[in-house]
Amino acid sequence: MNEALSYVHPNPTSAWGTYLSQVDRVTPYLGPLVRWVETLKRPKRALIVDVPIEMDDGTIAHFEGYRVQYNLARGPGKGGVRFHPDVTLEEVMALAAWMTIKTAAVNLPYGGAKGGIRVDPGQLSIKELERVTRRYTSEIGVIIGPLSDIPAPDVNTNAQIMAWIMDTYSVNAGGTATGVVTGKPIHLGGSLGRVKATGRGVFVTGREAARRVGLNLQGARVAVQGFGNVGSVSAQLFAEAGAIVVAVQDHTGTIHNDKGLDLPKLLAYVQASPQRGVAGFAQAERMDNEEFWSVACDILIPAALEGQISAARAQKIRARLVLEGANGPTVPAADDVFKDRGILVVPDVICNAGGVTVSYFEWVQDFSSFFWTEDEINQRLDRIMINALSQIWDKADQHKITLRTATYAVACERILAAREERGLYP
Ligand code: GLU
């Protein structure tokens, strides 16, 4: 009865193919709600927009933009906006689907959405970046809003870009609407703790998982792929807890130091380097990119892009714990290898949910125009993450399934129960 979507072409290692297979794996655990499972395999609404801007040299450039509202059964759409030259509709669909699972896994009153522009922001001047952001916001303005769909930062987007989105939306709406976007600068309705929230969530869930498997963080060896917001913050928090970060890989290369990298120095180096990358850091040796995957470590944190851990790489990985800071870093065949090898994966849809959780706090604070302290935010964040992980762990024990399938089971029950209670219209 239900044919596959005609406008996407998933393969087993693409983001969308990965997501579909994750849904197939949870299907046996959905009980009577399985009647609604097809709803998890289709986006509710996908908007493709043309984003034309005038470049600084007077020429006109066009970029392809997307906003996908994947599922709105539990509340407004929520999810970041990614600026990257490889962004496609299919990728944004997968990312929006993962947001749906993620918000349900931590029980935030949201659905899932995601947006993106197919652009390399490194090639744009700051003024061109602003024009791209504003025109994109205006084009997707028909479907976003504080009560309908709330964007946030993702790969290559930041608080300044969120401020432009907020301003553009507000100008068109005729009044300041801080709640239309999260991850804003603090004095424009942003929340304390938001910048570090995703990395903090990776650390908190990782610490909890380490405790449960009997891994002492003191002296534990950590390898991190990606040194953007998520990778750098989680690396620092693990180092502060006594772990040693032995390897970091980013778009400029891989560096290694068996005695542990000095993270404050590395961060300062990356911020000052023209390529904004780790390559060339003096107190480390350079390492071949593929060797990164077999580095001797206890904890591996993929915190870059999706599809990084293939089955072949999963065979080489020597960590006991994999903490998914990125969205979709592990393909399903690699999940099977991890399971066979007894390597525990804390999946993205819980591990990196700290960002959207503090986004939720920001949105609540904007509505009430009453702002919390950083301590209050961190305490509430930690509590939500620890409680969510504990429910997921119980589910995994109950059915003898991986943490990923258990997270999907907890989340999909919530999504499909909401779907059933709301009923179909007409
Ligand atoms: N882009 C982040 C994510 O993938 C945060 C989304 C949000 O805060 O809405 O979870």
Side-chain angles (χ1 to χ4, degrees):
M1 193 98 124
N2 293 305
E3 299 211 347
L5 299 172
S6 68
Y7 52 89
V8 285
H9 307 283
N11 69 57
T13 58
S14 69
W16 178 243
T18 295
Y19 168 73
L20 289 180
S21 126
Q22 289 163 346
V23 172
D24 285 342
R25 287 172 181 211
V26 76
T27 302
Y29 305 99
L30 295 177
L33 289 169
V34 76
R35 177 170 173 246
W36 296 91
V37 73
E38 187 65 23
T39 203
L40 297 170
K41 299 185 189 173
R42 299 163 179 261
K44 176 182 176 62
R45 189 177 285 138
L47 181 62
I48 306 177
V49 296
D50 177 35
V51 184
I53 63 154
E54 186 172 345
M55 302 294 279
D56 293 346
D57 66 3
T59 58
I60 308 298
H62 289 257
F63 301 97
E64 211 169 289
Y66 314 94
R67 185 74 187 170
V68 174
Q69 294 174 347
Y70 198 81
N71 187 295
L72 306 179
R74 301 180 61 259
K78 187 83 195 80
V81 176
R82 173 174 295 203
F83 288 1
H84 196 281
D86 299 332
V87 165
T88 61
L89 172 65
E90 194 172 312
E91 182 196 26
V92 176
M93 280 168 54
L95 292 165
W98 284 323
M99 284 309 303
T100 306
I101 305 294
K102 196 185 300 184
T103 57
V106 280
N107 215 1
L108 306 178
Y110 288 134
K114 200 87 174 195
I117 307 181
R118 206 171 156 79
V119 62
D120 179 356
Q123 302 294 314
L124 300 181
S125 71
I126 189 85
K127 281 290 160 198
E128 290 165 344
L129 186 64
E130 178 174 352
R131 289 197 284 275
V132 163
T133 304
R134 288 189 183 278
R135 182 61 189 248
Y136 168 74
T137 305
S138 171
E139 294 297 337
I140 65 163
V142 287
I143 62 167
I144 63 167
L147 295 176
S148 49
D149 181 3
I150 305 110
D154 196 75
V155 175
N156 291 333
T157 55
N158 56 24
Q160 174 60 76
I161 291 171
M162 298 308 115
W164 290 327
I165 293 178
M166 189 277 269
D167 182 71
T168 306
Y169 181 88
S170 296
V171 167
N172 288 332
T176 298
T178 52
V180 68
V181 69
T182 58
K184 298 179 296 293
I186 299 299
H187 51 277
L188 287 178
S191 177
L192 295 169
R194 176 62 186 86
V195 173
K196 292 193 168 172
T198 312
R200 188 177 173 92
V202 171
F203 171 71
V204 169
T205 52
R207 184 183 57 192
E208 207 51 29
R211 187 182 62 77
R212 286 180 183 247
V213 301
L215 172 67
N216 189 353
L217 287 189
Q218 198 67 41
R221 299 162 64 86
V222 180
V224 185
Q225 188 202 30
F227 207 63
N229 177 264
V230 182
S232 66
V233 172
S234 45
Q236 283 186 87
L237 292 173
F238 275 104
E240 283 166 24
I244 50 174
V245 178
V246 291
V248 174
Q249 176 174 97
D250 74 0
H251 61 287
T252 61
T254 307
I255 59 168
H256 180 257
N257 183 336
D258 215 37
K259 299 204 171 61
L261 294 156
D262 182 328
L263 289 168
K265 281 198 184 134
L266 179 59
L267 202 64
Y269 173 80
V270 168
Q271 277 161 358
S273 87
Q275 284 185 291
R276 296 206 147 245
V278 298
F281 181 59
Q283 288 141 296
E285 299 114 53
R286 192 163 182 132
M287 186 181 232
D288 174 71
N289 275 343
E290 202 49 42
E291 260 179 63
F292 169 81
W293 299 104
S294 46
V295 91
C297 65
D298 302 295
I299 299 176
L300 172 71
I301 307 178
L305 295 171
E306 55 269 16
Q308 293 298 301
I309 305 181
S310 59
R313 285 180 177 167
Q315 288 288 5
K316 299 195 235 176
I317 286 168
R318 289 158 77 184
R320 286 172 67 188
L321 263 186
V322 176
L323 309 177
E324 293 188 334
N327 290 311
T330 308
V331 305
D335 261 336
D336 296 338
V337 173
F338 284 143
K339 193 173 177 212
D340 289 348
R341 295 188 56 214
I343 295 173
L344 186 74
V345 179
V346 182
D348 50 3
V349 282
I350 173 69
C351 191
N352 73 27
V356 71
T357 301
V358 177
S359 275
Y360 165 60
F361 297 161
E362 179 173 334
W363 183 72
V364 168
Q365 292 171 86
D366 286 341
F367 272 113
S368 56
S369 295
F370 179 78
F371 291 86
W372 313 344
T373 65
E374 191 158 356
D375 269 356
E376 281 171 312
I377 284 156
N378 287 341
Q379 276 171 30
R380 286 181 206 240
L381 170 62
D382 293 2
R383 197 164 62 225
I384 287 181
M385 300 295 290
I386 290 166
N387 285 345
L389 187 64
S390 149
Q391 279 184 37
I392 289 162
W393 215 288
D394 290 349
K395 189 67 128 185
D397 286 346
Q398 184 193 342
H399 294 294
K400 307 263 174 294
I401 50 180
T402 62
L403 285 184
R404 190 184 315 278
T405 301
T407 311
Y408 274 66
V410 169
C412 295
E413 268 171 30
R414 288 184 180 139
I415 299 160
L416 299 182
R419 178 69 279 160
E420 182 165 85
E421 283 157 9
R422 288 180 72 151
L424 284 182
Y425 170 84

